Amino acid sequence: MRGLPAAARGYIGCVALAAALCTAPALRLGAGAPWTGALALATLYALCEQVRRRLPGGRAPYGTPSYAGPGWAAPVLLAGAFLLPPPLAALTAVPGALLAPADARWAAARRVWHAAVPALACCAAAEVFRAIDHHPLSAPRFPDLLLPAAAAAVAFCAVPAGLEGGVLVTAERHPVRTAWRGSLTRSLGPHLVHGLAGLMMAVLWCSSYGPPAALLVLLPMHLSCWVFDRCHRERAAHQATIRALVQAVDIKDRYTRGHSERVGRASVMIARELGMAEDRMEVLRFAGILHDVGKLGVPTRLLRKDGPLTPEERRVIELHPEYGHEIVRGIGFLGEARSAILHHHERLDGRGYPYGLKGHQIPEFARVVAVADAFDAMTSTRSYSRARPVPVAVAELRKCAGTQFDPRMVRALAASLARYGWHPDLVTAAAGEPPSARGGRGNVTPEGVDGPDGRTVSAAVTPGPAPERAGGPGGGGAGTARTERAPEPRRGGVR
């Protein structure tokens, strides 16, 4: 455990001691205890731990909490909790956890942790199951056993979720206020499914068909985990595609790095206030992140030009929404995001570009991204001015509501800011960029908005002549108020 913080070593030691105390009563059970069943389940679980990393979908997806490690083999542990006394149920998890591969860094601590956590979870699940149901398992009683099994599955999920937060605090220095956030709700659904499968295994185990019939439950569990793993990998591929496009834009237009990520966050903030469905919010986040991807088609010399733009250069830059739409046309999972990329510079009064759409002719996603884009332009530090305070930016958006912006979107952003606050540095850091690197160049027109570079700033906050140029094409647009937690860094610790 060399290199592991002292607090983490103490915490892991306490968890291991608690697990040992839970399993110690097994020594007093005597020969009449179901040792054969415990040995069979422990062997089965250990075998599953060995093969799950070699089968498609066997390894838990990245980001899955460590206590969800058993994956499709979790029903074996829950079946033990339903069939065995609590001390024996705890022991079924230990051999498989100790034999499973562990990362070289803090390997001993990881093995102890991976053995102690499921042991405590199994013991708690068995105690809860017996506290609610005192009768032996049998097939005719299956419906009556659903409630005790569900309660045991909740305990099987809640105990490790609580322990996980502790190790994040002690080993990885996570803030206490966020260490436990979402850990239980993320894993509760899968564990309830595992509880049902474990109950089916236990009932079949006790039936006339015997233990071999119980093994059949593992096949559909493995197939379902494989399907979820495929979905996770597809989602990861989508995220990688988005990230690659955003990084290409940031490299080309160095003045607006981090802007796309913040616009995506602000767009989600507005969408949540409007009550959009989760799947649409995800697509809208993609729209915000990719709204300036068309700059890949704009000559770099124009994006980085230090002097004023000529009318011809402005017309070239005003093509970037159409370039962006062409770039993402074939990416099917973007859906409505493609129309937002094409129309995020349209105005409600019809004076926008590229097609001069008016009012509700402008797609809903485009109206959301336009507001988010403008907010970030005003609240980000530019080469010629400091970031405006959030209240000033919101006031300017309200002044332009009805002419340039959809008033409904402006109200939603203002309400969300009042509820959640604005933390652009956290969003920027989550995108992999130091907060000090934020910046960009702006374009403030006499009418108040919408230069060809993607900036939308009201004339009321015009900072005066820009030292570099008056109509810069550097990317920008709007802000991203923070609605959800930034993506969590990869967790190391004892996992």
Side-chain angles (χ1 to χ4, degrees), residues 125 161 204 257 349 368:
L204 289 171
R257 289 179 182 172
D349 57 11
V368 171

Side-chain angles (χ1 to χ4, degrees), residues 114-173:
H114 289 162
V117 169
L120 289 172
C122 290
C123 185
E127 292 284 4
V128 169
F129 185 76
R130 275 153 186 74
I132 300 177
D133 187 88
H134 304 281
H135 305 286
L137 288 172
S138 63
R141 295 191 60 245
F142 184 82
D144 299 331
L145 296 171
L146 290 176
L147 179 59
V154 171
F156 186 79
C157 173
V159 169
L163 295 175
E164 177 83 2
V167 82
L168 290 178
V169 172
T170 57
E172 302 183 24
R173 306 288 197 270

Side-chain angles (χ1 to χ4, degrees), residues 67 157 161 180-190 485:
Y67 52 82
C157 173
W180 286 272
R181 183 182 297 169
S183 58
L184 179 61
T185 55
R186 269 198 311 267
S187 54
L188 184 57
R485 289 187 307 160

Side-chain angles (χ1 to χ4, degrees), residues 100 194 209 273 287 298 323 326 406 423 462 478 480 488:
H194 291 160
Y209 299 103
E273 196 66 29
V298 176
Y323 291 156
E326 287 299 317
D406 187 331
H423 310 284
T462 300
T480 78
E488 296 180 1

Side-chain angles (χ1 to χ4, degrees), residues 91-478:
L91 283 174
T92 58
V94 176
L98 292 177
L99 292 174
D103 292 342
R105 189 185 184 210
W106 305 332
R110 292 176 193 273
R111 291 186 187 279
V112 171
W113 177 257
H114 289 162
V117 169
L120 289 172
C122 290
C123 185
E127 292 284 4
V128 169
F129 185 76
R130 275 153 186 74
I132 300 177
D133 187 88
H134 304 281
H135 305 286
L137 288 172
S138 63
R141 295 191 60 245
F142 184 82
D144 299 331
L145 296 171
L146 290 176
L147 179 59
V154 171
F156 186 79
C157 173
V159 169
L163 295 175
E164 177 83 2
V167 82
L168 290 178
V169 172
T170 57
E172 302 183 24
R173 306 288 197 270
H174 273 236
V176 174
R177 61 186 178 85
T178 62
W180 286 272
R181 183 182 297 169
S183 58
L184 179 61
T185 55
R186 269 198 311 267
S187 54
L188 184 57
H191 278 79
L192 289 175
V193 176
H194 291 160
L196 177 60
L199 180 60
M200 294 171 62
M201 284 192 70
V203 170
L204 289 171
W205 192 284
C206 297
S207 70
S208 58
Y209 299 103
L215 299 179
L216 297 176
V217 176
L218 292 179
L219 179 59
M221 289 301 300
H222 168 66
L223 291 177
S224 64
C225 286
W226 181 84
V227 171
F228 281 115
D229 179 73
R230 295 298 98 188
C231 292
H232 171 81
R233 291 176 185 273
E234 182 179 1
R235 180 183 173 86
H238 293 172
Q239 298 283 359
T241 300
I242 300 299
R243 182 65 57 200
L245 289 171
V246 171
Q247 287 178 344
V249 175
D250 286 347
I251 291 172
K252 187 162 188 174
D253 188 4
R254 61 179 179 267
Y255 294 102
T256 58
R257 289 179 182 172
H259 166 71
S260 297
E261 190 74 28
R262 297 193 300 271
V263 172
R265 296 286 178 174
S267 299
V268 171
M269 206 167 185
I270 296 171
R272 184 161 292 163
E273 196 66 29
L274 296 175
M276 285 189 187
E278 288 291 333
D279 57 341
R280 293 193 74 210
M281 279 197 289
E282 179 72 359
V283 175
L284 181 57
R285 186 175 74 86
F286 290 155
I289 291 175
L290 292 175
H291 72 286
D292 275 343
V293 70
K295 288 182 180 178
L296 292 175
V298 176
T300 305
R301 62 179 179 81
L302 296 185
L303 295 177
R304 299 184 179 183
K305 184 177 178 181
D306 290 331
L309 295 174
T310 66
E312 178 121 0
E313 290 171 336
R314 292 173 64 88
R315 283 193 292 273
V316 170
I317 291 180
E318 285 181 358
L319 293 173
H320 81 269
E322 295 175 275
Y323 291 156
H325 185 260
E326 287 299 317
I327 290 172
V328 303
R329 181 191 294 274
I331 304 179
F333 68 85
L334 288 179
E336 291 181 81
R338 295 193 292 267
S339 63
I341 293 169
L342 179 61
H343 297 295
H344 70 278
H345 280 303
E346 304 285 1
R347 296 171 47 120
L348 258 66
D349 57 11
R351 297 170 57 199
Y353 62 90
Y355 299 131
L357 301 183
K358 293 184 179 180
H360 286 276
Q361 293 177 336
I362 305 172
E364 183 181 30
F365 276 20
R367 285 178 272 139
V368 171
V369 173
V371 172
D373 195 24
F375 181 74
D376 188 66
M378 289 186 281
T379 56
S380 297
T381 298
R382 303 295 172 180
S383 61
Y384 58 83
S385 69
R386 295 182 179 274
R388 277 99 173 144
V390 169
V392 173
V394 172
E396 296 305 323
L397 290 174
R398 284 177 170 149
K399 287 180 182 178
C400 295
T403 55
Q404 177 172 352
F405 305 118
D406 187 331
R408 181 166 163 257
M409 309 308 174
V410 174
R411 287 193 300 268
L413 178 60
S416 191
L417 288 169
R419 181 176 293 118
Y420 299 108
W422 171 236
H423 310 284
D425 287 347
L426 295 179
V427 176
T428 301
E433 175 195 0
S436 61
R438 290 191 300 120
R441 291 177 288 182
N443 178 41
V444 183
T445 64
E447 295 81 5
V449 261
D450 221 39
D453 54 346
R455 273 172 192 67
T456 310
V457 184
S458 172
V461 293
T462 300
E468 292 192 64
R469 68 173 192 236

